[in-house]
């Protein structure tokens, strides 16, 4: 156990999150290497009446992995991973990132739905559900859980699986860090890679309206093995981007095929026939594709998201209009295609509502300055207001900031929220773990 306090030389580095918008100063950070350290840290917080936050990757855009004047349980030292090639399973420590996970499992040509940014923590991502490029083939990350080891608020070590604490196991399929500190997770894996047909395409922004309609049709027709998204962005000053596009609105398409390269190449053809100015879709290492849209560090971030059963022309026009007003060169407007295994049989076994949605809109407001961050917040909120008539009311909590209890209820629905609150009452009756998208313990 390593205790880091405000007078420690590495305090500022240890408390830093990916989102520069969040600048909080905990009283102490407990860097935990095993479940015993976690139990000790929880006992310390209880004895000193300190609020508790739990950190793995630190990618909570709302800053829920830290606090002011409280205790942060930092599980990043728990970076173990054990891959069973024959059983196609992986058991990982709670501090692992998806980049580390993918590099390890890809040595055996195995994968599971992981984060779209390689620096995202495996545990927080998965417990919140886990939406990624492979979800149409393999479901969310949580759908592939076999078991989770936790330390509860009382310091007890428990395992959640289909045969042990099954209600808790159900709650961990999207209920987040409300029920304990995850220390180990075991996943079932799938045959994939190490080489896949994947990459990004880039088109001029002046064609955004026509491209949006064309993408909608192609994405709806694509098989479940195709993971794809439409991204409106400012073309970056990279050497592969034509000079005349740099600094202007561009339309990006992300593509991956969860299968053999030859078939993936065939299914990529309709997208390529749209005539991208930049075409990086080719046979490549899956683990490299997973790093292609990593978040730039030290930016001020504000995100949100909504679900859509369909995106008609009016909704697409709103997306394009919003993209034409991106607040700064690092902001993006993303639309991901859901369907396939997202709404398949596994959906009924999680607390997450509205998994049958066909699309998710996901505005990313980013800026290099705090003032620009305020512009990003206003841009995201305006878009959500404009697109509201075309949404289902559902939301993916990992995609949003702190937007209040109504949005939490929208993610689960009344029935599932009640069931989650009963699990919360059993494992965390005093709501020690409230630094999250919080589920309140049921009242007797």
């Amino acid at each position: 156990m390593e205790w880091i306090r405000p007078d420690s030389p590495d305090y500022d580095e240890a408390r830093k999150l990916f989102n520069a918008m969040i600048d909080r100063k905990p009283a102490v950070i407990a860097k935990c290497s095993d479940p015993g350290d976690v139990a000790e840290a929880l006992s310390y917080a209880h004895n000193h009446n300190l609020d508790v936050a739990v950190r793995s990757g630190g990618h909570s855009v709302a800053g829920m992995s830290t606090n002011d004047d409280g205790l942060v349980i930092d599980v990043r030292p728990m970076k173990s991973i054990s891959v069973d090639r024959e059983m196609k399973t992986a058991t990982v420590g709670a501090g692992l990132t998806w980049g580390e996970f993918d590099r390890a499992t890809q040595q055996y040509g195995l994968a599971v739905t992981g984060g779209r940014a390689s620096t995202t923590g495996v545990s927080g991502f998965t417990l919140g559900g886990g939406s990624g490029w492979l979800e149409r083939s393999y479901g969310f990350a949580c759908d592939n859980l076999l078991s989770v080891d936790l330390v509860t608020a009382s310091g007890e070590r428990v395992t959640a699986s289909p045969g042990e604490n099954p209600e808790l196991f159900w709650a961990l399929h999207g209920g987040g860090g409300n029920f304990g500190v995850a220390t180990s997770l075991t996943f079932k894996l799938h045959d994939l890679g190490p080489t896949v047909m994947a990459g990004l395409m880039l088109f001029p922004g002046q064609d955004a309206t026509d491209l949006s309609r064309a993408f909608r049709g192609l994405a709806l027709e694509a098989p479940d093995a195709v993971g794809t998204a439409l991204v409106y962005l400012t073309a970056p000053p990279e050497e592969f981007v034509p000079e005349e596009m740099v600094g202007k609105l561009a339309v990006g398409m992300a593509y991956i095929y969860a299968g053999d390269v030859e078939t993936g190449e065939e299914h990529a053809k309709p997208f390529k026939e749209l005539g991208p100015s930049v075409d990086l879709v080719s046979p490549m290492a899956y683990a490299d594709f997973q790093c292609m849209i990593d978040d730039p560090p030290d930016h001020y971030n504000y995100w949100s998201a909504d679900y859509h059963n369909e995106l008609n022309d009016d909704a697409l026009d709103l997306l394009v209009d919003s993209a034409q007003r991106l607040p700064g060169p690092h902001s993006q407007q993303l639309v991901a295609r859901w369907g396939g295994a997202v709404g398949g049989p596994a959906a009924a076994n999680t607390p997450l509502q509205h998994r049958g949605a066909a699309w998710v809109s996901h505005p990313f407001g980013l800026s290099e300055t705090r003032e620009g961050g305020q512009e990003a917040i206003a841009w995201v909120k305006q878009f959500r207001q404009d697109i509201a008539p075309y949404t289902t009311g559902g939301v993916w909590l990992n995609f949003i900031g702190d937007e209040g209890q109504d949005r939490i209820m929208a993610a689960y629905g009344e029935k599932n929220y009640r069931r989650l609150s009963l699990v919360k009452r059993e494992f965390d009756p005093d709501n020690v773990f409230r630094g999250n998208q919080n589920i309140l313990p049921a009242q007797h």
Side-chain angles (χ1 to χ4, degrees), residues 123-166:
S123 54
F125 172 89
T126 302
L127 298 181
S131 169
W133 296 121
L134 302 179
E135 62 199 2
R136 282 167 47 79
S137 292
Y138 309 137
F140 297 143
C142 71
D143 297 334
N144 296 276
L145 278 173
L146 297 175
S147 68
V148 182
D149 291 336
L150 302 99
V151 178
T152 68
S154 66
E156 181 184 3
R157 302 181 197 183
V158 301
T159 297
S161 69
E164 193 172 358
N165 296 305

Side-chain angles (χ1 to χ4, degrees), residues 148-423:
V148 182
D149 291 336
L150 302 99
V151 178
T152 68
S154 66
E156 181 184 3
R157 302 181 197 183
V158 301
T159 297
S161 69
E164 193 172 358
N165 296 305
E167 271 298 281
L168 175 60
F169 189 58
W170 171 83
L172 294 173
H173 285 65
N178 273 282
F179 312 101
V181 181
T183 56
S184 176
L185 304 92
T186 298
F187 296 87
K188 64 180 178 183
L189 303 175
H190 306 268
D191 292 314
L192 183 78
T195 301
V196 295
M197 191 70 180
L200 304 173
M201 289 177 277
L202 207 61
F203 302 80
Q206 63 261 30
D207 299 327
T209 298
D210 290 341
L211 286 166
S212 300
R213 286 158 169 71
F215 172 82
R216 176 184 58 194
L218 294 177
L220 288 171
E221 294 169 2
D224 293 348
V226 170
T228 188
L230 188 69
V231 188
Y232 307 90
L233 72 162
T234 302
E238 300 285 352
E239 60 181 38
F240 59 82
V241 177
E243 186 177 348
E244 65 272 15
M245 290 182 66
V246 172
K248 299 177 182 178
L249 176 66
V251 179
M253 293 183 192
Y255 175 93
I256 182 171
Y257 184 79
D260 66 88
V261 169
E262 292 75 17
T263 308
E265 186 173 15
E266 197 64 30
H267 287 296
K269 283 181 180 178
F271 295 90
K272 290 172 173 281
E273 287 169 358
L274 296 175
S277 299
V278 178
D279 183 0
L280 303 179
V281 175
S282 62
M284 67 183 301
Y286 168 71
D288 289 343
F289 175 71
Q290 284 289 85
C291 303
M292 287 190 78
I293 60 168
D294 279 1
D295 309 280
D298 303 322
H299 281 58
Y300 294 81
N301 285 253
Y302 187 82
W303 313 342
S304 194
D306 282 289
Y307 295 174
H308 312 270
N309 287 332
E310 64 175 348
L311 288 174
N312 63 22
D313 288 353
D314 290 340
L316 288 179
D317 288 345
L318 287 172
L319 283 159
V320 172
D321 178 67
S322 173
Q324 290 169 340
R325 294 179 285 105
L326 289 174
H330 301 289
S331 296
Q332 298 181 5
Q333 180 68 266
L334 182 146
V335 182
R337 169 75 171 119
W338 269 12
V342 172
N349 298 319
T350 71
L352 301 165
Q353 288 277 87
H354 303 290
R355 288 186 52 166
W359 307 92
V360 180
S361 60
H362 191 7
F364 289 80
L366 276 78
S367 175
E368 296 182 46
T369 67
R370 186 168 293 279
E371 296 74 20
Q374 295 306 306
E375 295 176 15
I377 292 173
W379 172 75
V380 171
K381 290 184 174 180
Q382 183 62 56
F383 171 72
R384 285 207 61 237
Q385 180 178 318
D386 293 343
I387 203 71
Y390 307 98
T391 64
T392 69
V395 65
W396 186 259
L397 295 177
N398 271 5
F399 282 173
I400 71 171
D402 185 0
E403 297 185 9
Q405 206 69 19
D406 287 347
R407 290 280 266 171
I408 295 172
M409 187 67 76
Y412 302 121
E414 186 174 345
K415 181 180 178 181
N416 284 348
Y417 184 89
R418 171 63 180 170
R419 186 174 167 188
L420 288 166
S421 70
L422 292 171
V423 179

